[in-house]
Amino acid sequence: MPPQSHRRVPKVRDLAPLIRFRRPRFDRTQRRLDAALTIDDLRRLAKRRTPRAAFDYTDGAAEDEVSLGRARQAFRDIEFHPSILRDVTTVRTGWDVLGGRVGWPFAIAPTGFTRLMHTSGEIAGASAAAAAGIPFSLSTLGTASIEDVVNAVPQGRKWFQLYMWRDRDRSMALVRRAADAGFDTLLVTVDVPVAGARLRDTRNGMSIPPALTLRTVLDALPRPRWWFDLLTTEPLAFASLDRWPGTVGEYLDTMFDPSVTFADLAWIKTQWPGKLVVKGIQTLDDARAVVEVGADGIVLSNHGGRQLDRAPVPFHLLPVVARELGADTEILLDTGIMSGADIVAAVALGARCTLIGRAYLYGLMAGGEAGVRRAIDILTGQLSRTMRLLGVSCLEELSPRHVTQLRRLVPFSPA
């Protein structure tokens, strides 16, 4: 029989170290954000606080949303290979990207109609990015003007994303304004000859600005704060339109130019004084071709799964493109990134920088600028912890030996 413990009356001095009362937090939004430990947690908060049409515009993808699911799964299907007994007391998480220093190897991706997610919109994203030392990308379809973003957030690096419209003069006028305002990099998006079939938007009747139908009114009842903010702040303003009577997809089809070619890309290069990056690369051959035209960098991207469904997974394409072109150009990557570990894996396999879109917008919807800062905090915490657990003290030490891609899908070769 094991000896029995002798029971006694606990003493106050024994209990005191065990009793810790948390200081009450009266800011309910900040309390919810602090409780969010992952980007998925922020997504759940965002869904509760945002009307369905606006949330689905962010959360959704094209057709059956296969591309988005595969991209996220690709990051889950990796195996890390840590090294032991390395001094990781401190880790350096910054390096040069496209001619400038970044504090972390990711940037905020360009997103359209951003003030629909939260009225602080692009200003919140730019402010949070500047505070974290990462670049902020402003979309052609942004809801804050080039000048308003710079005036509100004069500090920090800013990139401008260009859709080539049918009206070339109007497109290049935006490019000149971005250059004059000090934006240092142009992201030319090339995977949008027409808009993808975003079925959630069609089913929701997603329009700009949102139409007050019976359905949207009923959807607003449990989310009065969103509608109050929308109706009591500055009206939504866009670089390209003030009001559009149809759906977002219908508008995009009238604007995008399906005739854009490599010759146009070379012409844009002559018009832009800073770094030029081509976004939407999905094959090695196209990556080679845009580098030959003079691109300073490429973004391996399938547009977050929002254009061609079942398109290649950018993360799967990364290793071969990095082997072939990594010595000559900077490779960026987006689509599917939901954690700091995803960013580490991308850097290890050859990406110089990654772009976060939905991850940032979930934070924005969950709590405005505070939510974006929380999303960045989550990603940076995961990123630095993953580096330490891998046994690396700086980004330069990451290499393909740290990551194995475990493939669920392999090409079928008929006999």
Side-chain angles (χ1 to χ4, degrees), residues 29-48:
T29 297
Q30 191 60 54
R31 190 167 63 243
R32 286 192 290 263
L33 292 174
D34 290 344
L37 304 181
T38 67
I39 298 300
D40 274 322
D41 289 343
L42 290 177
R43 179 186 178 277
R44 284 187 283 272
L45 281 176
K47 189 172 185 179
R48 291 203 299 267

Side-chain angles (χ1 to χ4, degrees), residues 71-328:
R72 288 180 174 170
Q73 189 63 51
F75 282 108
R76 297 187 189 102
D77 290 344
I78 63 170
E79 182 176 81
F80 281 123
H81 306 292
S83 301
I84 62 170
L85 299 177
R86 307 298 200 274
D87 183 356
V88 289
T89 306
T90 59
V91 293
R92 288 188 288 108
T93 60
W95 58 7
D96 289 340
V97 173
L98 296 168
R101 197 73 179 174
V102 299
W104 303 86
F106 66 94
I108 287 184
T111 58
F113 311 123
T114 310
R115 283 189 61 219
L116 277 178
M117 317 314 150
H118 190 280
T119 52
S120 59
E122 288 88 357
I123 304 301
S127 298
I134 62 174
F136 171 80
S137 308
L138 179 64
S139 172
T140 296
L141 299 177
T143 46
S145 73
I146 292 166
E147 294 77 14
D148 285 346
V149 170
V150 172
N151 290 335
V153 189
Q155 70 278 20
R157 292 184 66 189
K158 297 173 185 68
W159 300 348
F160 185 72
Q161 177 268 333
L162 174 69
Y163 288 122
M164 183 57 79
W165 298 342
R166 297 172 192 267
D167 186 340
R168 302 296 176 87
D169 290 339
R170 197 174 180 188
S171 297
M172 298 318 295
L174 280 176
V175 169
R176 287 190 293 271
R177 284 170 55 191
D180 292 343
F183 285 61
D184 63 73
T185 296
L186 184 67
L187 304 174
V188 181
T189 300
V190 295
D191 57 354
V192 284
V194 296
R198 301 171 193 177
L199 302 185
R200 289 203 221 182
D201 293 346
T202 302
R203 290 171 180 139
N204 289 331
M206 174 67 173
S207 61
I208 304 297
L212 288 174
T213 64
L214 176 61
R215 178 175 178 176
T216 56
V217 169
L218 292 175
D219 188 49
L221 293 178
R223 303 171 179 87
R225 177 61 183 269
W226 186 92
W227 283 98
F228 176 78
D229 287 345
L230 177 72
L231 298 173
T232 59
T233 56
E234 288 294 320
L236 291 175
F238 299 86
S240 51
L241 77 164
D242 293 320
R243 189 176 188 93
W244 175 255
T247 66
V248 172
E250 291 168 344
Y251 169 69
L252 297 180
D253 273 338
T254 69
M255 185 183 72
F256 294 152
D257 186 351
S259 71
V260 175
T261 66
F262 286 98
D264 295 292
L265 185 62
W267 176 71
I268 294 169
K269 171 76 173 175
T270 67
Q271 308 294 306
W272 177 253
K275 299 288 187 179
L276 184 137
V277 175
V278 181
K279 181 176 181 291
I281 300 299
Q282 298 172 66
T283 70
L284 176 59
D285 287 344
D286 282 345
R288 287 197 188 102
V290 298
V291 170
E292 290 173 0
V293 169
D296 299 295
I298 59 174
V299 184
L300 301 179
S301 170
N302 64 24
H303 214 100
R306 296 164 70 80
Q307 285 297 106
L308 175 65
D309 202 15
R310 298 173 179 82
V313 174
F315 184 60
H316 284 167
L317 186 61
L318 175 60
V320 64
V321 174
R323 284 194 301 270
E324 294 287 329
L325 301 175
D328 302 316

